[in-house]
Amino acid sequence: MNDPKAPPANPQPPQGAPPPGAAPAAAAPPAHVPALGTEPPPAPNAAPAAPAAPAAPARPPPHETEPTRMVKSSRREKKVRERRGGTGVLLVTRPGIPPTPLTLTRARTIIGRDRDSCDVVLEDEGVSRQHASVSRESTGYFALHDLGSKNGIFVGGHRVDRRTLLHGDTFKIGDTTFTFQLIPDKTDKPTAPLPPPAAPPPAAGAPPPGAPPPPMAEPPRK
């Protein structure tokens, strides 16, 4: 029978604990935490990392790679650049009336149905009070403008609001057809005469120009 006053037996050590009387284990070194923005140190006996592939060059925008293309000017644009001077004339053709030339002497010629404000009056119900104008621009060209008309201006069957007029251009307002003509200005400077052609050089042994002819040799006597 056990004595209740007897001291308790030695308790069993927990699993993994050192036996009684053993030296304490050495403390584990603290874990290394790399600073922010730095690469961690390579592990011992680790294979060297493969070099990073070079980055592909950035592709330039399309407008830097595409070659510049030359745009051919139309024949009409070349004529616009060529003709600047001259006097403008409108050839007015009305139904049943012979063509009438009208010289554009004003900076702006208004075409319409209103007699008080128009320079060219058209007795046509399809024409607005102030239908169109022909003005000379600061560049020297004549330009046709629609003044907000109801029935418009037609060139070659197409309605236009503005057009630079060239010699021979035709437009229609109502039942009236207009043909633009450009008369070149005459120059006051006379053309200098061309110099006479130079005389060809004399042949070898020939007398100089203006020298008397040599005397004729007498025939030999028999």
Side-chain angles (χ1 to χ4, degrees):
M1 185 174 181
N2 294 335
D3 187 359
K5 296 182 179 180
N10 294 333
Q12 294 294 331
Q15 187 176 1
H32 176 74
V33 179
L36 183 64
T38 60
E39 295 292 336
N45 302 328
R59 187 174 183 180
H63 68 273
E64 296 183 5
T65 58
E66 297 180 357
T68 303
R69 294 179 295 176
M70 298 298 294
V71 180
K72 295 183 178 180
S73 300
S74 63
R75 186 176 302 176
R76 176 178 176 82
E77 291 176 351
K78 293 180 180 179
K79 290 183 179 180
V80 168
R81 291 195 298 266
E82 292 173 359
R83 294 188 176 272
R84 287 192 178 182
T87 303
V89 176
L90 283 180
L91 194 62
V92 185
T93 305
R94 302 179 184 180
I97 301 176
T100 304
L102 175 64
T103 304
L104 301 174
T105 57
R106 300 186 178 184
R108 188 186 188 207
T109 302
I110 300 178
I111 305 171
R113 191 162 42 90
D114 189 8
R115 292 182 175 272
D116 297 332
S117 60
C118 295
D119 304 300
V120 181
V121 180
L122 302 179
E123 298 292 344
D124 189 347
E125 293 298 330
V127 177
S128 300
R129 293 174 60 85
Q130 290 187 355
H131 199 104
S133 68
V134 177
S135 58
R136 189 153 199 169
E137 306 292 331
S138 59
T139 55
Y141 302 125
F142 287 88
L144 174 66
H145 298 267
D146 191 333
L147 301 180
S149 64
K150 180 179 179 181
N151 296 326
I153 307 170
F154 289 87
V155 177
H158 300 280
R159 183 168 180 170
V160 297
D161 293 333
R162 185 190 182 280
R163 183 179 179 89
T164 301
L165 295 176
L166 301 179
H167 180 74
D169 282 353
T170 300
F171 60 94
K172 193 172 183 180
I173 298 177
D175 294 333
T176 305
T177 303
F178 297 83
T179 302
F180 178 76
Q181 297 178 347
L182 187 63
I183 302 176
D185 294 334
K186 296 181 179 180
T187 176
D188 297 331
K189 297 180 181 181
T191 305
L194 296 177
M216 298 182 63
E218 295 182 359
R221 294 180 182 181
K222 293 182 180 180

